[in-house]
């Protein structure tokens, strides 16, 4: 680990919780340099929905590289881009009756959010963007202004402006309808909220603690946006690409956002790739206004097309994800009932679910215990209090069960020990776990 301690910046984050050197990966498994096997329930924070090195995608990528297909092209037209656009239009947009222009941005999620915000602001001539409590949209300046997390906001170094926060669905408990509140704030010219250009929302908040809003709330949000003549932006960077049980997380609600951002699992292969979908009338860009050297990653076009062809040509994959989602829900409910002492709750939908342990330290101890038994799994939420299950969507039922069994064992281990030794803080120094060689 020497070189990482010596010269890699302190900004490292995930590496701190999983201090191993990883070398190979296939499907839902990752292997460290010593050959230890881990089940990956983090999956690149949702960037590997189709698993590591998916063979169908790999085959197309290897063919493309072997024939000297264009690897970099700025935003020039390429065969790879043409084929991606045709497939995306035919298999994703048209069957869902979605009419969008496709804008290629820089390859990170945050850059697509920046582009979405600019498009909405420039079209409306307004600055303010409504964002929601616990939302996460990236850490560059514009997207960071719409991100709730104080740890990330604190690093900005400047005033983060241009966004007004509204309470997300359920933020004030079950009794307060937060959309009515938003409507009231926007209707009152003395509420202190400047008339917004747009609202930006995640249908399932990932980094904010796996909060899924209801379909009714989402439909009401769309209505309020129409009423106040503002655009609706859905940030589908983490919840999209099948994670929710549909390709887009907003499909279930039947809404049609004005702008959608996609990234993370879009390439399907962990290759950096992001885009913005814009209703044609809002696509008022002048050439090169939002540019970037790496707009459109040709290798990602190839794997993204292969992912769509493989998994989105019919509804079989959606059904599979929905079925696995129901299994996850059942298992998590049972874990919460058995060990949660009335405090734990389940969160999310589809294959984007988690356990709210209320206490971040406890959640951290549980994920650490799971790691020591060979499952890589992370937490999210303001206090890192939510254990976040993000396994690849293609995981076999057997390994899904195995991973959740290990997680259940970790919850049992940590919660029981807390009962027995309430004053202890580190529960692991003397705990023998089943798969001890993994933690060496
Ligand atoms: C990850 C994420 C982003 C930022 O994407 P980066 O590629 O990390 O810049 C934005 N929005 C959501 C919802 C995300 O999950």
């Amino acid at each position: 680990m020497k070189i990482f301690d010596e010269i890699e910046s302190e900004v490292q984050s995930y590496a701190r919780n999983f201090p191993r050197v990883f070398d190979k990966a296939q499907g839902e498994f990752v292997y460290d340099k010593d050959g230890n096997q881990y089940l990956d329930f983090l999956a690149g924070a949702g960037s590997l929905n189709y698993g590591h090195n998916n063979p169908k995608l790999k085959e197309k990528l290897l063919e493309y590289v072997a024939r000297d297909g264009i690897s970099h092209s700025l935003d020039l037209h390429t065969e790879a881009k043409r084929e991606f656009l045709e497939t995306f239009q035919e298999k994703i947009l048209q069957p869902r009756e979605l009419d969008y222009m496709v804008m290629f941005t820089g390859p990170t999620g945050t850059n697509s959010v920046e582009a979405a915000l600019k498009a909405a602001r420039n079209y409306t001539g307004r600055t303010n963007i409504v964002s929601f409590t616990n939302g996460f949209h990236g850490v560059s300046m514009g997207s960071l202004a719409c991100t709730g997390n104080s740890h990330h906001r604190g690093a900005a170094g400047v005033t983060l402006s241009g966004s007004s926060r509204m309470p997300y669905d359920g933020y004030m408990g079950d009794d307060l309808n937060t959309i009515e509140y938003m409507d009231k704030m926007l209707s009152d010219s003395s509420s202190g909220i400047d008339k917004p250009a747009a609202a930006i929302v995640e249908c399932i908040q990932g980094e904010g603690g796996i909060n899924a809003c209801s379909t009714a709330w989402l439909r009401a949000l769309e209505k309020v946006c129409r009423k106040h003549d503002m655009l609706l932006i859905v940030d589908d960077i983490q919840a999209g690409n099948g994670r929710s049980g549909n390709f887009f997380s907003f499909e279930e609600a039947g809404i049609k956002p004005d702008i959608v951002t996609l990234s993370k699992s879009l390439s399907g292969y962990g290759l950096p790739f992001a885009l913005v979908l814009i209703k044609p009338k809002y696509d008022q860009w002048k050439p090169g206004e939002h540019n970037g050297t790496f707009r459109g990653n040709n290798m990602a076009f190839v794997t993204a097309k292969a992912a769509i062809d493989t998994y989105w040509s019919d509804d079989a994959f959606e059904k599979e994800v929905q079925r696995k989602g129901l299994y996850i829900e059942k298992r998590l409910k049972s874990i919460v009932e058995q060990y949660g002492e009335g405090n734990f709750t389940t969160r999310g939908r589809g294959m984007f679910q988690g356990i709210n342990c209320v206490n971040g330290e406890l959640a951290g101890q549980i994920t650490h215990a799971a790691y020591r038994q060979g499952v890589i799994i992370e937490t999210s939420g303001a206090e890192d209090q939510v254990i976040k299950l993000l396994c690849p969507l293609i995981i076999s039922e057997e390994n899904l069960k195995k991973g959740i069994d290990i997680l259940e064992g970790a919850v049992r281990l940590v919660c029981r020990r807390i009962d027995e030794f309430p004053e202890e803080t580190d529960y692991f120094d003397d705990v023998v776990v089943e798969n001890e060689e993994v933690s060496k």
Side-chain angles (χ1 to χ4, degrees):
M1 304 302 278
K2 200 155 160 278
I3 191 73
F4 303 109
D5 295 335
E6 236 172 66
I7 67 164
E8 192 180 355
S9 160
E10 291 296 326
V11 79
Q12 298 170 51
S13 67
Y14 296 107
R16 295 173 191 271
N17 292 341
F18 309 105
R20 305 290 301 173
V21 179
F22 298 98
D23 188 38
K24 290 175 71 163
Q26 176 50 237
E28 57 267 45
F29 289 110
V30 183
Y31 302 85
D32 66 25
K33 68 173 181 26
D34 301 322
N36 294 310
Q37 183 188 63
Y38 304 82
L39 254 179
D40 192 357
F41 271 49
L42 174 57
S47 300
L48 293 159
N49 283 1
Y50 313 108
H52 291 268
N53 295 307
N54 184 298
K56 295 235 168 71
L57 282 52
K58 180 164 71 179
E59 187 191 326
K60 299 290 181 195
L61 181 61
L62 290 175
E63 270 171 26
Y64 187 76
V65 173
R67 74 166 179 83
D68 285 334
I70 297 268
S71 67
H72 177 90
S73 59
L74 296 170
D75 72 354
L76 296 175
H77 298 328
T78 62
E79 272 298 284
K81 188 197 275 187
R82 182 177 64 77
E83 288 180 8
F84 166 75
L85 283 171
E86 283 172 359
T87 304
F88 191 79
Q89 183 180 44
E90 182 199 337
K91 294 185 176 168
I92 301 297
L93 296 181
Q94 280 170 356
R96 294 167 180 78
E97 296 178 358
L98 295 170
D99 183 19
Y100 290 123
M101 303 299 283
V102 179
M103 172 185 181
F104 299 108
T105 64
T108 58
T110 198
N111 195 258
S112 66
V113 171
E114 297 290 348
L117 299 177
K118 279 189 199 176
R121 283 174 171 146
N122 288 329
Y123 180 83
T124 58
R126 301 176 211 135
T127 303
N128 194 23
I129 304 279
V130 166
S131 54
F132 292 94
T133 49
N134 288 301
F136 181 87
H137 302 288
V139 295
S140 55
M141 221 59 82
S143 62
L144 188 53
C146 296
T147 290
N149 186 290
S150 60
H151 174 66
H152 291 119
R153 293 175 67 84
V158 295
T159 310
L160 294 168
S161 58
S163 177
S164 298
R165 207 82 32 187
M166 293 286 172
Y168 192 72
D169 190 18
Y171 186 72
M172 304 296 292
D174 291 339
D175 296 338
L176 194 134
N177 181 333
T178 58
I179 289 293
E180 273 174 24
Y181 170 85
M182 176 174 162
D183 186 22
K184 169 90 183 170
M185 292 294 273
L186 295 177
S187 304
D188 177 355
S189 61
S190 291
S191 68
I193 304 289
D194 295 333
K195 192 171 169 64
I200 184 165
V201 70
E202 297 157 273
C203 303
I204 307 168
Q205 295 184 322
E207 300 310 302
I210 322 213
N211 311 308
C213 64
S214 71
T215 51
W217 188 86
L218 212 49
R219 283 193 288 266
L221 173 63
E222 186 187 45
K223 258 197 205 135
V224 168
C225 287
R226 302 279 169 263
K227 176 175 166 191
H228 295 279
D229 185 31
M230 53 200 269
L231 276 61
L232 175 59
I233 305 172
V234 168
D235 179 349
D236 228 5
I237 290 172
Q238 192 163 166
N241 295 294
R243 181 59 60 185
S244 71
N246 299 113
F247 186 85
F248 295 107
S249 65
F250 55 82
E251 279 177 54
E252 202 180 43
I255 61 163
K256 300 227 162 123
D258 300 299
I259 301 182
V260 181
T261 56
L262 281 178
S263 184
K264 291 213 162 86
S265 275
L266 179 61
S267 78
Y269 207 75
L271 297 170
F273 183 22
L275 56 74
V276 182
L277 304 173
I278 312 177
K279 281 190 182 164
K281 72 170 169 178
Y282 303 123
D283 182 35
Q284 305 260 349
W285 292 104
K286 295 186 184 69
E289 264 188 328
H290 185 90
N291 71 4
T293 307
F294 294 106
R295 273 173 307 141
N297 172 344
N298 282 273
M299 294 187 201
F301 290 148
V302 172
T303 54
K305 173 183 157 49
I308 294 169
D309 283 336
T310 307
Y311 297 102
W312 300 99
S313 289
D314 57 39
D315 64 2
F317 184 62
E318 262 176 324
K319 293 230 166 77
E320 181 187 322
V321 173
Q322 288 162 13
R323 200 177 58 242
K324 286 175 187 166
L326 290 176
Y327 172 77
I328 294 171
E329 189 181 323
K330 210 173 69 193
R331 290 291 310 267
L332 296 193
K333 281 208 169 118
S334 136
I335 292 173
V336 162
E337 273 165 27
Q338 287 181 76
Y339 311 107
E341 308 243 303
N343 297 320
F344 290 13
T345 49
T346 57
R347 325 277 314 147
R349 64 182 167 91
M351 287 182 75
F352 202 178
Q353 297 191 47
I355 299 175
N356 183 358
C357 303
V358 186
N359 175 330
E361 232 182 274
L362 198 60
Q365 282 159 0
I366 293 167
T367 52
H368 187 68
Y371 164 60
R372 291 182 64 160
Q373 300 187 53
V375 174
I376 292 181
I377 186 163
E378 260 290 7
T379 55
S380 78
E383 315 291 336
D384 292 322
Q385 77 280 23
V386 177
I387 299 171
K388 175 163 107 159
L389 281 81
L390 270 184
C391 56
L393 307 180
I394 52 87
I395 191 171
S396 72
E397 287 180 12
E398 187 192 342
N399 289 326
L400 179 59
K401 175 177 183 304
K402 189 172 152 196
I404 298 179
D405 286 348
I406 290 174
L407 178 65
E408 176 164 353
V411 174
R412 192 188 313 123
L413 179 75
V414 170
C415 292
R416 289 250 172 100
R417 284 189 64 85
I418 280 179
D419 287 347
E420 287 162 27
F421 309 103
E423 74 287 357
E424 258 186 72
T425 50
D426 183 5
Y427 302 95
F428 294 108
D429 287 341
D430 58 347
V431 173
V432 181
V433 291
E434 284 162 31
N435 208 2
E436 188 60 30
E437 79 275 10
V438 165
S439 66
K440 269 193 231 134

